[in-house]
Amino acid sequence: MPALVLLGAQWGDEGKGKATDLLGGSVDYVVRYQGGNNAGHTVVVGDQKYALHLLPSGILSPGCTPVIGNGVVVDPSVLLSELSGLNERGVDTSKLLISGNAHIITPYNVTVDKVTERFLGKRKIGTTGRGIGPTYADKINRVGIRVQDLYDESILTQKVEAALDVKNQMLTKLYNRRAIAVEQVVEELLVYADKLAPYVADTVLVLNEALEQDKVVLFEGGQGTLLDIDHGTYPFVTSSNPTAGGACTGAGVGPTKISRVIGILKAYTTRVGAGPFPTELFDEDGEALRRIGGERGVTTGRDRRCGWFDAVIARYATRVNGLTDFFLTKLDVLTGWEQIPVCVAYEIDGRRVEELPYSQTDFHHAKPVYEMLPGWSEDISKAKSFSDLPKNAQAYVKALEEMSGAPISAIGVGPGRDETIEINSFL
Ligand code: GDP
Ligand code: IMO
Ligand code: MG
């Protein structure tokens, strides 16, 4: 029963979509277990480029069943337009399964996301504005709407009433907005019921039976470790658990079933939205990483903040996820630098600190301590094996591996499926 978890080891956008797609050809199920359409996963197959938000990246592998687990929040309009966009390009999406327990992002959750961000002013999180936080808040407050509620109009109406009761007071009295009518929301949601019906399933049962039958299941995280609500740079985080434990709760699979946890790790660091980022660059190196790496958000189109590799973060990701492997991505982007700084520790108020501080204040004060590693100038995008890499690129990978605490089992040297050096097999 090989069950693999694949997740982001930094602040998201590490290349999870590419890595999942690469493995998709050899696995039976790919499962999203948290997050929603705040995610933006780019997959390049031949000369075709796909941007996926809610659908697991395994959707592009014909033999693979894509699953949206109970821990995901689903915006039905986004899901349906993503499905029809893929259908128009000839992708068969008929195998998709959606958990009846997944929560629905309603139009009022999107409204609340936008108004609360506006009210936070300079303290805003810089969310994607897709209603993610408010939908998880409703889930925890026990006033959420689940996919299964679409199939009982009376229950749906009662639940929308309960959810809007307090929200309408808040919208009208605090935020100076118009109240949202219950009937209008119910009517809008009911339109999705028939369209989603063919996909809705007891995904917990399906996945556990698949594991019993020795099928290969890959759990694909959205976002990254440092955006985790519990283990990330709170409050500048998303509202779910991208870390490995999230795969268990977000898909209904016990921890004893997980055999491998793969951390996707960019050869440098990026972040979107607000929050601390010790190795962030504000100079021409940062600009160059952004330009060469194409660091622009797939979901919001925002420029990503860029900086050097941070080994303190990588070590932390190994620890909180129990990583068994790393998949190092975008090594090709670093070609051309004479020397590449790597953050090996932080200096915090005059002290050298080797591990991620639990205190938010300390992390905000952390200054990177850099070690300089020699760069390379040869084009590495055609490299097929580790020995094809220039000596300095090999040494860079080895140094990162040593500092990060888990073996680097694959290396990305370009966005395409085949632009990958496989060192240890994942299956
Ligand atoms: P995700 O959210 O983790 O799936 O990552 P994104 O898709 O948001 O961002 C990663 C970007 O890097 C995408 O444009 C990928 O096509 C691209 N990419 C992934 N791996 C590599 C790589 O090894 N080299 C290069 N140059 N680009 C890559
Ligand atoms: P993928 O799956 C990078 C960030 C937002 C914001 C914070 C909270 O492509 O790696 P939210 O809308 O989730 O409440 O916003 O989280 N964020 C991401 N950053 N990649 C993502 O997804 C992200 N999803 C959310 O920018 O800072
Ligand atoms: Mg992304």
Side-chain angles (χ1 to χ4, degrees), residues 333-416:
V333 174
L334 294 179
T335 301
W337 266 274
E338 233 167 78
Q339 288 202 304
I340 308 168
V342 168
C343 169
V344 295
Y346 300 141
E347 192 196 297
I348 302 173
D349 302 329
R351 288 171 296 128
R352 184 184 165 106
V353 175
E354 305 278 340
E355 300 300 340
L356 199 88
Y358 74 85
S359 144
Q360 180 184 1
T361 310
D362 280 355
F363 194 58
H364 278 259
H365 292 167
K367 303 242 173 338
V369 176
Y370 285 119
E371 203 170 276
M372 303 303 275
L373 298 180
W376 59 92
S377 56
E378 300 89 332
D379 175 16
I380 62 168
S381 61
K382 303 281 177 299
K384 291 279 168 256
S385 69
F386 189 67
S387 57
D388 290 344
L389 292 174
K391 285 282 168 279
N392 285 351
Q394 290 185 17
Y396 185 81
V397 173
K398 283 286 155 207
L400 262 46
E401 180 172 84
E402 194 128 311
M403 293 169 194
S404 305
I408 291 175
S409 295
I411 303 168
V413 291

XYZ file of all heavy atoms in Angstrom, residues 333-416:
648
model
N 17.604 27.760 -12.937
C 17.449 29.216 -12.802
C 18.712 29.846 -12.213
O 19.030 31.010 -12.468
C 16.196 29.529 -11.933
C 16.070 31.011 -11.644
C 14.941 29.002 -12.615
N 19.483 29.064 -11.450
C 20.676 29.614 -10.786
C 21.913 29.640 -11.694
O 22.972 30.140 -11.287
C 20.979 28.814 -9.510
C 19.930 28.936 -8.395
C 20.319 28.081 -7.200
C 19.750 30.394 -7.971
N 21.784 29.115 -12.908
C 22.924 29.123 -13.835
C 23.352 30.559 -14.139
O 22.506 31.401 -14.448
C 22.534 28.408 -15.160
O 22.157 27.074 -14.850
C 23.678 28.414 -16.159
N 24.632 30.818 -14.039
C 25.140 32.132 -14.438
C 25.635 32.997 -13.292
O 26.300 34.006 -13.513
N 25.351 32.602 -12.056
C 25.887 33.378 -10.925
C 27.296 32.863 -10.607
O 27.516 31.637 -10.585
C 25.009 33.224 -9.679
C 23.987 34.304 -9.541
C 24.160 35.521 -8.963
C 22.626 34.263 -9.997
N 22.994 36.247 -9.018
C 22.028 35.510 -9.659
C 21.847 33.326 -10.673
C 20.707 35.822 -9.956
C 20.535 33.638 -10.963
C 19.984 34.866 -10.615
N 28.209 33.777 -10.373
C 29.578 33.351 -10.054
C 29.629 32.669 -8.693
O 30.271 31.644 -8.504
C 30.480 34.584 -10.027
C 31.693 34.418 -10.921
C 32.380 35.739 -11.112
O 33.098 36.144 -10.174
O 32.175 36.373 -12.170
N 28.900 33.270 -7.767
C 28.816 32.700 -6.419
C 27.355 32.746 -5.988
O 26.635 33.691 -6.316
C 29.623 33.547 -5.448
C 31.123 33.402 -5.644
C 31.830 33.812 -4.366
O 31.633 34.925 -3.899
N 32.616 32.924 -3.796
N 26.929 31.721 -5.276
C 25.527 31.680 -4.849
C 25.467 31.649 -3.321
O 25.937 30.696 -2.694
C 24.804 30.445 -5.430
C 24.999 30.370 -6.959
C 23.325 30.473 -5.072
C 24.567 29.061 -7.582
N 24.898 32.692 -2.720
C 24.770 32.679 -1.256
C 23.680 31.704 -0.808
O 22.630 31.620 -1.439
C 24.356 34.120 -0.915
C 24.574 34.910 -2.166
C 24.429 33.942 -3.309
N 23.944 30.988 0.273
C 22.960 30.079 0.861
C 22.864 30.407 2.346
O 23.898 30.505 3.031
C 23.402 28.607 0.661
C 22.567 27.670 1.502
C 23.297 28.214 -0.806
N 21.661 30.592 2.837
C 21.482 30.934 4.254
C 21.611 29.663 5.092
O 20.825 28.721 4.924
C 20.114 31.583 4.447
S 19.646 31.772 6.160
N 22.589 29.621 5.989
C 22.846 28.417 6.788
C 22.343 28.552 8.221
O 22.196 27.565 8.938
C 24.356 28.054 6.794
C 24.815 27.668 5.403
C 25.198 29.218 7.335
N 22.141 29.795 8.655
C 21.671 30.053 10.023
C 21.139 31.490 10.043
O 21.230 32.196 9.033
C 22.821 29.900 11.018
N 20.563 31.900 11.185
C 20.125 33.297 11.324
C 20.937 33.960 12.429
O 21.416 33.297 13.355
C 18.654 33.390 11.732
C 17.666 32.765 10.774
C 16.564 32.067 11.267
C 17.811 32.888 9.390
C 15.629 31.503 10.409
C 16.881 32.328 8.526
C 15.800 31.628 9.038
O 14.888 31.067 8.195
N 21.040 35.285 12.277
C 21.525 36.060 13.410
C 20.316 36.814 13.962
O 19.638 37.529 13.220
C 22.609 37.034 12.956
C 23.348 37.649 14.123
C 24.130 38.873 13.704
O 25.050 38.738 12.879
O 23.772 39.960 14.212
N 20.029 36.572 15.233
C 18.875 37.228 15.852
C 19.347 37.985 17.085
O 19.839 37.381 18.041
C 17.779 36.195 16.238
C 17.331 35.400 14.995
C 16.602 36.887 16.904
C 16.385 34.254 15.273
N 19.271 39.295 17.029
C 19.719 40.167 18.124
C 21.111 39.755 18.617
O 21.331 39.562 19.819
C 18.693 40.145 19.276
C 17.302 40.581 18.796
O 17.237 41.399 17.865
O 16.296 40.073 19.332
N 22.015 39.562 17.675
C 23.411 39.276 18.016
C 23.719 37.808 18.275
O 24.878 37.440 18.450
N 22.716 36.928 18.296
C 22.940 35.497 18.541
C 22.850 34.736 17.229
O 22.035 35.067 16.373
C 21.849 34.915 19.449
C 21.889 35.321 20.887
C 20.610 34.828 21.613
N 19.410 35.460 21.083
C 18.330 34.820 20.660
N 18.280 33.494 20.683
N 17.265 35.469 20.199
N 23.683 33.667 17.082
C 23.557 32.785 15.916
C 22.542 31.696 16.251
O 22.648 31.030 17.289
C 24.927 32.168 15.585
C 24.901 31.308 14.322
C 26.262 30.651 14.098
N 26.167 29.577 13.142
C 26.606 29.630 11.884
N 27.207 30.723 11.438
N 26.468 28.596 11.091
N 21.555 31.537 15.377
C 20.472 30.579 15.617
C 20.413 29.617 14.439
O 20.343 30.034 13.288
C 19.133 31.350 15.768
C 17.971 30.396 15.893
C 19.186 32.297 16.961
N 20.462 28.315 14.752
C 20.543 27.299 13.693
C 19.165 26.784 13.270
O 19.013 26.236 12.194
C 21.362 26.086 14.174
C 22.757 26.412 14.692
C 23.776 26.559 13.578
O 23.520 26.049 12.470
O 24.818 27.208 13.826
N 18.178 26.895 14.168
C 16.859 26.329 13.868
C 15.809 27.436 13.851
O 15.974 28.470 14.501
C 16.486 25.267 14.920
C 17.440 24.085 15.008
C 17.575 23.291 13.709
O 16.690 23.386 12.828
O 18.587 22.574 13.562
N 14.712 27.178 13.151
C 13.651 28.186 13.026
C 13.125 28.562 14.412
O 12.676 27.688 15.154
C 12.511 27.620 12.179
C 11.574 28.671 11.605
C 12.102 29.170 10.272
C 10.182 28.106 11.415
N 13.185 29.841 14.793
C 12.708 30.209 16.127
C 11.187 30.104 16.204
O 10.493 30.421 15.245
C 13.151 31.667 16.261
C 13.330 32.161 14.875
C 13.662 30.982 14.018
N 10.655 29.611 17.331
C 9.205 29.510 17.457
C 8.575 30.872 17.675
O 7.392 31.074 17.439
C 8.816 28.535 18.590
C 9.048 29.093 19.973
C 8.084 29.878 20.578
C 10.238 28.857 20.647
C 8.297 30.429 21.829
C 10.458 29.398 21.886
C 9.487 30.178 22.486
O 9.708 30.722 23.703
N 9.388 31.841 18.137
C 8.837 33.158 18.451
C 8.742 34.014 17.183
O 9.714 34.210 16.463
C 9.726 33.841 19.495
O 9.789 35.226 19.261
N 7.534 34.539 16.958
C 7.300 35.373 15.779
C 8.211 36.609 15.802
O 8.759 37.008 14.777
C 5.821 35.804 15.749
C 5.465 36.673 14.565
C 4.018 37.167 14.604
O 3.272 36.884 15.538
N 3.625 37.901 13.592
N 8.393 37.175 16.994
C 9.229 38.374 17.113
C 10.653 38.059 16.685
O 11.272 38.813 15.926
C 9.212 38.864 18.589
O 7.857 38.944 18.993
C 9.894 40.197 18.753
N 11.184 36.929 17.157
C 12.543 36.532 16.771
C 12.636 36.336 15.259
O 13.596 36.771 14.628
C 12.943 35.214 17.472
C 13.392 35.457 18.904
O 13.484 36.643 19.304
O 13.638 34.468 19.626
N 11.630 35.658 14.686
C 11.699 35.386 13.242
C 11.669 36.694 12.448
O 12.359 36.837 11.439
C 10.555 34.445 12.816
C 10.760 33.876 11.434
C 11.894 33.133 11.123
C 9.834 34.090 10.413
C 12.105 32.614 9.840
C 10.025 33.582 9.144
C 11.160 32.842 8.857
N 10.894 37.663 12.916
C 10.854 38.963 12.237
C 12.213 39.671 12.315
O 12.537 40.481 11.454
C 9.746 39.846 12.817
C 8.397 39.547 12.246
N 7.808 40.301 11.267
C 7.543 38.532 12.493
C 6.630 39.780 10.949
N 6.448 38.705 11.685
N 13.004 39.356 13.348
C 14.314 40.010 13.507
C 15.450 39.196 12.873
O 16.602 39.618 12.919
C 14.622 40.217 15.004
C 13.725 41.219 15.653
N 13.640 41.381 17.011
C 12.851 42.100 15.117
C 12.754 42.326 17.287
N 12.271 42.771 16.158
N 15.116 38.010 12.333
C 16.180 37.110 11.840
C 16.890 37.694 10.619
O 16.256 38.112 9.650
C 15.569 35.748 11.493
N 18.221 37.717 10.703
C 19.043 38.158 9.556
C 19.774 36.917 9.049
O 20.339 36.151 9.833
C 20.097 39.182 9.999
C 19.545 40.411 10.677
C 19.877 41.646 9.864
C 19.223 42.919 10.374
N 18.037 42.800 11.208
N 19.814 36.710 7.735
C 20.456 35.494 7.223
C 21.971 35.511 7.396
O 22.608 36.546 7.211
C 20.096 35.500 5.737
C 19.725 36.905 5.423
C 19.235 37.541 6.684
N 22.516 34.348 7.801
C 23.973 34.170 7.808
C 24.270 33.358 6.542
O 23.779 32.240 6.396
C 24.435 33.377 9.054
C 25.935 33.110 8.997
C 24.044 34.119 10.332
N 25.040 33.957 5.632
C 25.257 33.314 4.335
C 26.595 32.589 4.252
O 27.598 33.032 4.816
C 25.205 34.355 3.206
C 23.808 34.825 2.881
C 23.453 36.171 3.018
C 22.850 33.933 2.414
C 22.176 36.611 2.704
C 21.560 34.363 2.102
C 21.232 35.697 2.241
O 19.962 36.129 1.936
N 26.560 31.471 3.513
C 27.784 30.794 3.085
C 27.784 30.940 1.565
O 26.731 30.788 0.941
C 27.682 29.323 3.466
C 28.997 28.616 3.611
C 28.778 27.234 4.237
O 28.707 27.155 5.482
O 28.639 26.273 3.457
N 28.959 31.241 0.983
C 29.002 31.424 -0.470
C 29.408 30.115 -1.134
O 30.424 29.527 -0.776
C 30.017 32.510 -0.844
C 29.748 33.850 -0.184
S 28.101 34.500 -0.549
C 28.444 35.293 -2.089
N 28.602 29.669 -2.093
C 28.950 28.452 -2.831
C 29.295 28.854 -4.265
O 28.658 29.760 -4.828
C 27.774 27.476 -2.833
C 27.328 26.976 -1.452
C 26.150 26.011 -1.584
C 28.453 26.278 -0.716
N 30.314 28.193 -4.859
C 30.702 28.569 -6.222
C 29.605 28.219 -7.237
O 28.977 27.162 -7.134
C 31.968 27.741 -6.473
C 31.981 26.673 -5.441
C 31.163 27.122 -4.287
N 29.378 29.123 -8.199
C 28.327 28.909 -9.200
C 28.844 28.194 -10.445
O 29.980 27.713 -10.477
N 28.013 28.127 -11.482
C 28.370 27.492 -12.758
C 27.753 28.301 -13.887
O 26.798 29.048 -13.667
C 27.864 26.041 -12.787
C 26.374 25.942 -12.621
C 25.441 25.912 -13.611
C 25.640 25.921 -11.378
N 24.183 25.863 -13.076
C 24.264 25.871 -11.714
C 25.998 25.931 -10.032
C 23.261 25.840 -10.756
C 24.976 25.909 -9.075
C 23.645 25.861 -9.431
N 28.306 28.160 -15.084
C 27.777 28.942 -16.205
C 27.253 28.058 -17.337
O 26.598 28.538 -18.248
C 28.873 29.867 -16.741
O 29.994 29.082 -17.086
N 27.517 26.742 -17.249
C 27.080 25.839 -18.319
C 25.545 25.663 -18.284
O 24.955 25.623 -17.209
C 27.714 24.437 -18.145
C 29.234 24.416 -18.172
C 29.850 24.615 -16.772
O 29.222 25.267 -15.906
O 30.966 24.135 -16.565
N 24.937 25.516 -19.471
C 23.498 25.236 -19.549
C 23.245 23.835 -18.982
O 23.866 22.872 -19.430
C 23.071 25.302 -21.029
C 21.622 24.910 -21.242
O 20.859 24.883 -20.252
O 21.248 24.624 -22.399
N 22.367 23.725 -17.998
C 22.120 22.396 -17.398
C 20.748 21.833 -17.783
O 20.360 20.768 -17.323
C 22.258 22.426 -15.852
C 21.225 23.375 -15.226
C 23.674 22.792 -15.425
C 21.122 23.223 -13.701
N 20.026 22.559 -18.647
C 18.643 22.153 -18.910
C 18.519 20.821 -19.647
O 17.444 20.222 -19.659
C 17.895 23.246 -19.671
O 18.532 23.468 -20.909
N 19.610 20.352 -20.237
C 19.544 19.060 -20.949
C 20.118 17.913 -20.099
O 20.181 16.769 -20.569
C 20.334 19.129 -22.270
C 19.889 20.241 -23.219
C 18.628 19.848 -23.979
C 18.120 20.953 -24.876
N 17.746 22.204 -24.182
N 20.535 18.223 -18.891
C 21.157 17.181 -18.052
C 20.138 16.083 -17.747
O 18.986 16.355 -17.407
C 21.660 17.802 -16.752
N 20.554 14.845 -17.885
C 19.647 13.712 -17.653
C 20.039 12.917 -16.400
O 19.246 12.152 -15.858
C 19.663 12.758 -18.860
C 19.022 13.352 -20.096
C 17.490 13.229 -20.033
C 16.804 14.061 -21.092
N 16.188 15.286 -20.636
N 21.311 13.049 -16.010
C 21.744 12.343 -14.802
C 22.586 13.302 -13.956
O 23.052 14.338 -14.452
C 22.570 11.109 -15.172
O 23.800 11.530 -15.709
N 22.767 12.921 -12.698
C 23.496 13.795 -11.769
C 24.900 14.093 -12.301
O 25.390 15.223 -12.216
C 23.564 13.117 -10.396
C 24.091 14.017 -9.323
C 23.357 15.119 -8.911
C 25.321 13.766 -8.722
C 23.845 15.970 -7.902
C 25.808 14.608 -7.724
C 25.057 15.713 -7.320
N 25.524 13.078 -12.922
C 26.903 13.268 -13.407
C 26.968 14.196 -14.625
O 28.040 14.688 -14.962
C 27.546 11.913 -13.721
O 26.742 11.247 -14.668
N 25.822 14.453 -15.286
C 25.804 15.427 -16.395
C 25.947 16.865 -15.883
O 26.224 17.776 -16.659
C 24.465 15.360 -17.166
C 24.314 14.081 -17.970
O 25.332 13.407 -18.188
O 23.170 13.763 -18.368
N 25.689 17.074 -14.603
C 25.747 18.439 -14.053
C 27.192 18.881 -13.882
O 28.063 18.058 -13.549
C 25.055 18.495 -12.681
C 23.545 18.299 -12.639
C 23.064 18.236 -11.180
C 22.821 19.421 -13.386
N 27.477 20.175 -14.086
C 28.829 20.673 -13.801
C 29.180 20.418 -12.332
O 28.285 20.356 -11.480
C 28.734 22.177 -14.064
C 27.402 22.427 -14.666
C 26.554 21.216 -14.532
N 30.478 20.299 -12.060
C 30.935 19.946 -10.702
C 30.363 20.894 -9.639
O 29.947 20.459 -8.566
C 32.469 19.979 -10.642
C 33.118 18.771 -11.332
C 33.065 17.508 -10.443
C 33.422 16.236 -11.199
N 32.348 15.625 -12.016
N 30.327 22.191 -9.968
C 29.844 23.154 -8.963
C 28.342 23.015 -8.713
O 27.866 23.237 -7.594
C 30.174 24.593 -9.375
C 31.653 24.900 -9.166
O 32.379 24.102 -8.558
N 32.103 26.043 -9.674
N 27.606 22.636 -9.754
C 26.159 22.406 -9.564
C 25.962 21.155 -8.712
O 25.090 21.125 -7.824
C 25.462 22.262 -10.910
N 26.770 20.143 -8.948
C 26.699 18.926 -8.113
C 26.983 19.282 -6.652
O 26.297 18.832 -5.731
C 27.735 17.900 -8.581
C 27.416 17.278 -9.915
C 28.406 16.158 -10.287
O 29.127 15.639 -9.432
N 28.439 15.800 -11.551
N 28.020 20.106 -6.473
C 28.412 20.471 -5.099
C 27.309 21.296 -4.425
O 27.050 21.141 -3.225
C 29.726 21.255 -5.122
N 26.633 22.158 -5.211
C 25.529 22.963 -4.670
C 24.420 22.040 -4.166
O 23.924 22.187 -3.043
C 24.996 23.912 -5.759
C 23.932 24.870 -5.279
C 24.272 26.041 -4.600
C 22.574 24.617 -5.499
C 23.298 26.926 -4.146
C 21.588 25.493 -5.056
C 21.960 26.643 -4.385
O 20.988 27.522 -3.931
N 24.058 21.051 -4.987
C 22.992 20.106 -4.604
C 23.396 19.324 -3.356
O 22.616 19.170 -2.411
C 22.673 19.139 -5.774
C 21.706 18.045 -5.336
C 22.117 19.910 -6.966
N 24.637 18.848 -3.340
C 25.123 18.053 -2.193
C 25.110 18.891 -0.911
O 24.774 18.413 0.176
C 26.530 17.509 -2.474
C 26.521 16.317 -3.412
C 25.999 15.081 -2.672
C 25.395 14.065 -3.612
N 24.375 13.208 -3.031
N 25.531 20.163 -1.051
C 25.563 21.050 0.128
C 24.148 21.260 0.662
O 23.901 21.180 1.874
C 26.200 22.389 -0.237
N 23.194 21.493 -0.251
C 21.799 21.694 0.171
C 21.266 20.443 0.861
O 20.558 20.517 1.870
C 20.926 22.019 -1.050
C 20.627 23.502 -1.317
C 21.845 24.386 -1.217
C 19.907 23.699 -2.635
N 21.615 19.293 0.297
C 21.141 18.023 0.868
C 21.645 17.868 2.305
O 20.896 17.539 3.213
C 21.630 16.872 -0.007
C 21.207 15.511 0.473
C 21.564 14.430 -0.550
O 22.722 13.972 -0.527
O 20.712 14.075 -1.351
N 22.926 18.136 2.476
C 23.551 18.007 3.796
C 22.886 18.934 4.820
O 22.607 18.546 5.947
C 25.026 18.371 3.673
C 25.822 17.974 4.861
C 27.035 17.155 4.427
O 26.876 16.204 3.649
O 28.120 17.536 4.836
N 22.612 20.166 4.376
C 22.054 21.162 5.310
C 20.580 20.911 5.608
O 20.066 21.353 6.629
C 22.121 22.566 4.675
C 23.494 23.111 4.478
S 23.314 24.588 3.451
C 25.015 24.856 2.981
N 19.874 20.244 4.671
C 18.405 20.201 4.759
C 17.865 18.973 5.467
O 16.693 18.936 5.849
C 17.794 20.301 3.357
O 18.283 21.454 2.711
N 18.694 17.921 5.591
C 18.298 16.808 6.444
C 17.535 15.672 5.792
O 17.012 14.804 6.489
N 17.434 15.651 4.470
C 16.813 14.500 3.783
C 17.446 14.388 2.394
O 17.905 15.400 1.842
C 15.308 14.681 3.663
N 17.487 13.179 1.829
C 18.112 13.025 0.517
C 17.370 13.770 -0.598
O 16.132 13.802 -0.586
C 18.073 11.513 0.262
C 17.141 10.945 1.253
C 17.028 11.905 2.397
N 18.119 14.338 -1.516
C 17.509 14.953 -2.710
C 17.394 13.852 -3.752
O 18.388 13.375 -4.288
C 18.357 16.153 -3.204
C 18.265 17.291 -2.184
C 17.881 16.615 -4.587
C 19.126 18.503 -2.462
N 16.169 13.432 -4.031
C 15.953 12.263 -4.887
C 15.627 12.607 -6.330
O 15.601 11.730 -7.187
C 14.840 11.399 -4.305
O 15.274 10.886 -3.055
N 15.350 13.878 -6.596
C 15.130 14.315 -7.982
C 15.494 15.789 -8.085
O 15.438 16.520 -7.080
C 13.681 14.096 -8.387
N 15.879 16.199 -9.297
C 16.265 17.595 -9.510
C 15.568 18.100 -10.773
O 15.645 17.465 -11.834
C 17.804 17.719 -9.710
C 18.543 17.128 -8.508
C 18.212 19.174 -9.939
C 20.038 16.939 -8.755
N 14.919 19.253 -10.662
C 14.290 19.871 -11.830
C 15.276 20.802 -12.510
O 15.905 21.638 -11.863
N 15.393 20.642 -13.842
C 16.294 21.530 -14.599
C 15.532 22.274 -15.692
O 16.112 22.844 -16.602
C 17.495 20.739 -15.191
C 18.422 20.272 -14.088
C 17.019 19.551 -16.036
N 14.200 22.268 -15.594
C 13.344 22.973 -16.548
C 11.896 22.637 -16.216
O 11.629 21.703 -15.458
N 10.936 23.395 -16.780
C 9.531 23.180 -16.416
C 8.903 21.908 -16.997
O 7.898 21.427 -16.474
C 8.820 24.420 -16.972
C 9.760 25.040 -17.942
C 11.132 24.589 -17.630
N 9.456 21.364 -18.058
C 8.845 20.206 -18.737
C 8.964 18.932 -17.919
O 9.849 18.792 -17.075
